[in-house]
Amino acid sequence: MAKNLRQIPITCSGHTRPVVDLRFSDITPHSYFIISACKDGLPMLREGDTGDWVGTFVGHKGAVWGATINKDATRAATGAADFTAKLWDAKSGTEIHSFSHRHIVKSVDFSSDTNYLVTGCNDKNLRLFDLENYATEPKVFTGHNSNIKKCILVDGCKKIISISDDKTLRVWDTVSNCQTTLLTFDDIPTSIEQSRDGQLLILSHGNSVELYDLNKMEKVKSYSIPSVISAVSISPDKSLFVCGSENFTLYKYSIETGAEIESFKGHFGPVHCIQFSPDGEVYASGSEDGTLRLWQNTIGKTYGLWKLIDSEETNNINTVS
């Protein structure tokens, strides 16, 4: 491809306040999908490769801070400032169940089989809900000393990993209900994500991005980024990571060499969330500017709504937003 091709994102409008979380499904028989959480209280579902709107989940009475969708895009979950986490039918948009909490719910994540939902709350606790039996009281995991920023279920449903404003990362055994690992940082950790094969954990804090062996929770690589990082995501093939910053900039790095591949600004506000699509062709970012944007991993490739017109003469990319 010509070297002077530049990123032209697909801008997904519709939200009216900052977009603070997003998540892609796996590839399904009907392509793949993305859910976004927004402070306007109206999480949205879109087609992941084009950004086309599919539907809005209506029911929360406050800002939605966390959102997730299961692998086959049949269930969605959201966490909000109305002290609830909600489970949704992703096909119909119908609310299936609402789980009450004692404070704002900041993060939600499904187990790989969608039988469990973990939530991270501003009461400093994690809760694990059995989605096969809504009447069952959740398992509660206590230990953080401040608000929980993010929580994920790993190794099926055997472990929970959480980060908090208390500048720690903690790993919890869901069988024994015990904390098994504690990592402390000089800065508040801002983002965690497991690789799609479940082998690596990527984490951001301050100006650093770090990779960990997910089984041993040992650091394997560390990268210094020019600005404070708010979100990070690892590509499906584990060759790249992308991250978004408070100064509106997005960065892409090689995991093997640590070299910066590209950096650019596209949002008009700090970037709050970022993730690669399941096929690695696209990554999505959400920002304080109220937009969700889709970016090409390979600039100039014909994919989704991106159409390469003439790479040798015009170097133009025709997009529909």
Side-chain angles (χ1 to χ4, degrees):
M1 294 297 174
K3 291 184 178 180
N4 60 343
L5 287 175
R6 64 186 182 90
Q7 278 279 10
I8 301 179
I10 294 173
T11 301
C12 306
S13 57
H15 285 302
T16 58
R17 296 199 63 203
V19 178
V20 291
D21 197 17
L22 59 86
R23 185 72 62 88
F24 282 102
S25 72
D26 279 1
I27 297 172
T28 77
H30 308 286
S31 187
Y32 59 88
F33 299 88
I34 183 171
I35 190 172
S36 54
C38 182
K39 291 184 182 180
D40 62 11
L42 296 170
M44 292 185 179
L45 185 68
R46 299 177 184 273
E47 293 182 9
D49 56 346
T50 64
D52 289 342
W53 178 84
V54 175
T56 301
F57 300 97
V58 179
H60 280 295
K61 294 180 174 63
V64 175
W65 287 95
T68 190
I69 189 167
N70 68 347
K71 290 184 176 182
D72 61 5
T74 58
R75 293 287 184 269
T78 50
D82 59 8
F83 293 16
T84 69
K86 293 184 184 292
L87 177 68
W88 308 86
D89 183 319
K91 293 183 177 181
S92 67
T94 304
E95 180 182 320
I96 297 173
H97 194 77
S98 184
F99 301 95
S100 296
H101 289 66
R102 296 179 179 177
H103 214 300
I104 296 169
V105 182
K106 280 293 188 70
S107 181
V108 290
D109 192 40
F110 285 120
S111 59
S112 56
D113 59 8
T114 321
N115 287 337
Y116 293 90
L117 178 73
V118 66
T119 64
C121 184
N122 273 7
D123 67 1
K124 309 171 189 176
N125 293 324
L126 297 153
R127 292 173 176 82
L128 185 65
F129 294 91
D130 183 350
L131 300 185
E132 298 289 292
N133 187 353
Y134 302 137
T136 303
E137 287 295 313
K139 287 186 177 183
V140 180
F141 300 83
T142 302
H144 279 295
N145 301 314
S146 190
N147 298 341
I148 293 167
K149 294 186 71 70
K150 191 80 174 178
C151 57
I152 57 174
L153 278 164
V154 300
D155 195 10
C157 188
K158 295 178 182 177
K159 298 176 185 177
I160 300 169
I161 300 179
S162 56
I163 54 174
S164 165
D165 288 343
D166 63 12
K167 299 182 180 179
T168 69
L169 176 149
R170 299 172 194 250
V171 182
W172 313 81
D173 184 300
T174 60
V175 177
S176 66
N177 273 38
C178 294
Q179 176 184 299
T180 59
T181 303
L182 171 64
L183 302 178
T184 59
F185 305 94
D186 293 332
D187 305 289
I188 293 173
T190 54
S191 177
I192 50 172
E193 182 188 82
Q194 64 176 315
S195 59
R196 287 198 169 262
D197 64 2
Q199 297 301 307
L200 295 174
L201 179 81
I202 194 164
L203 172 145
S204 60
H205 64 93
N207 289 68
S208 298
V209 170
E210 297 175 351
L211 276 177
Y212 289 80
D213 180 311
L214 195 50
N215 295 318
K216 300 176 182 178
M217 284 309 298
E218 295 176 352
K219 189 193 301 183
V220 293
K221 286 196 175 184
S222 182
Y223 310 86
S224 180
I225 314 298
S227 57
V228 175
I229 298 304
S230 49
V232 65
S233 182
I234 186 170
S235 63
D237 65 3
K238 300 185 292 187
S239 67
L240 308 167
F241 70 84
V242 290
C243 51
S245 70
E246 294 182 357
N247 71 353
F248 313 178
T249 304
L250 284 83
Y251 301 89
K252 184 195 291 182
Y253 279 77
S254 164
I255 284 178
E256 182 179 358
T257 67
E260 180 185 307
I261 297 171
E262 64 176 330
S263 64
F264 52 88
K265 292 185 178 181
H267 284 287
F268 299 99
V271 178
H272 294 312
C273 47
I274 196 166
Q275 192 181 38
F276 269 104
S277 64
D279 61 2
E281 294 287 353
V282 173
Y283 51 96
S285 58
S287 167
E288 185 74 16
D289 66 13
T291 67
L292 175 74
R293 296 178 191 243
L294 303 179
W295 310 86
Q296 282 192 290
N297 191 16
T298 304
I299 301 173
K301 183 176 182 179
T302 295
Y303 181 87
L305 297 181
W306 287 279
K307 306 297 181 185
L308 184 62
I309 297 175
D310 190 337
S311 61
E312 295 183 355
E313 297 180 6
T314 64
N315 294 326
N316 288 328
I317 301 174
N318 181 29
T319 64
V320 179
S321 61

